[in-house]
Amino acid sequence: MANLCKNIIETFTIVNETKVYDFNKCLDFIEYQGKLHYGQSFKICKDDIPTIYKLLIYMIRDQKVAEKEHLNLTKGILLTGPIGCGKTSIMHLLRPFSNHKSDYKIKTCREISFEFAKLGYEALQPYTKKANNQQRLTGFCFDDLGAEQQIKHYGNDCNVMAEILISRYEHFIENKSLTHITTNLSASEIENLYGNRLRSRMRNMFNVISFDTNSKDKR
């Protein structure tokens, strides 16, 4: 760990009042933070670097490179990949690179479902309503879409994540509120679980970035 970048300010230089990032130093910083949070065995796999590169370009809002990578910076991220490939950990580790417009909190879909079971529709408000002093919704990364179950609150069925995402789509159209998702579901599985109506909206809301289907289980 001694040779890795330990502080995010080591990953960029200032040129004409603009941050210019060194991708290799960014990888060093991510790996250093990964070892701190997930243990000394944490290591960035070579095969995952193209995926991390796209995510990093999105986070630092590099418009020119984003266009080359076919990324739309006004949309959120739908990060897909096999179970255990590192989707959740990389979204945690990339947060320091996000700015105030693209910052996000991470919440598991299972946690949200349990909140709904306990509190009912009131539990959905932090994800679907903005405060009076907010121009847009709080940014969220909903982790592990599909892992939640159909939860009942006093017998009231609700496809919780579908309700949240449809509400956030309306805010996305209205004020560019950003949403991110991690999932191991395929497009057809998303449609089966949440319906065609939501899937069509998700096409407009998200840049799809994928880990390789053969990416190793890192747990």
Side-chain angles (χ1 to χ4, degrees), residues 90-218:
I90 201 63
M91 290 303 287
H92 277 283
L93 295 172
L94 286 170
R95 274 196 68 203
F97 292 98
S98 62
N99 63 25
H100 68 283
K101 287 185 178 180
S102 59
D103 193 20
Y104 53 91
K105 299 177 181 180
I106 298 178
K107 190 81 173 183
T108 71
C109 296
R110 278 178 59 81
E111 284 182 297
I112 294 171
S113 291
F114 291 138
E115 289 172 354
F116 175 78
K118 183 178 180 180
L119 301 172
Y121 285 95
E122 181 183 340
L124 307 189
Q125 291 189 11
Y127 316 110
T128 60
K129 305 288 185 184
K130 59 186 177 70
N132 292 332
N133 62 343
Q134 287 183 299
Q135 291 184 329
R136 57 181 64 87
L137 291 176
T138 300
F140 272 97
C141 174
F142 297 117
D143 186 36
D144 210 4
L145 183 72
E148 81 282 0
Q149 297 178 355
Q150 189 103 343
I151 301 295
K152 292 184 177 181
H153 175 71
Y154 296 115
N156 192 355
D157 283 323
C158 176
N159 195 326
V160 176
M161 292 311 304
E163 289 292 328
I164 289 173
L165 291 173
I166 287 172
S167 293
R168 292 185 71 89
Y169 173 79
E170 293 169 357
H171 284 272
F172 166 71
I173 296 299
E174 180 184 328
N175 52 47
K176 298 302 181 185
S177 295
L178 289 177
T179 305
H180 309 305
I181 287 173
T182 73
T183 186
N184 65 326
L185 297 176
S186 66
S188 59
E189 288 171 329
I190 289 174
E191 184 170 342
N192 288 338
L193 280 175
Y194 303 102
N196 184 60
R197 178 175 172 230
L198 177 58
R199 183 184 172 187
S200 65
R201 282 158 174 74
M202 289 175 71
R203 291 192 190 101
N204 294 329
M205 286 177 72
F206 298 109
N207 298 281
V208 178
I209 299 179
S210 302
F211 280 93
D212 191 278
T213 54
N214 296 317
S215 184
K216 297 177 182 178
D217 191 328
K218 302 174 182 68

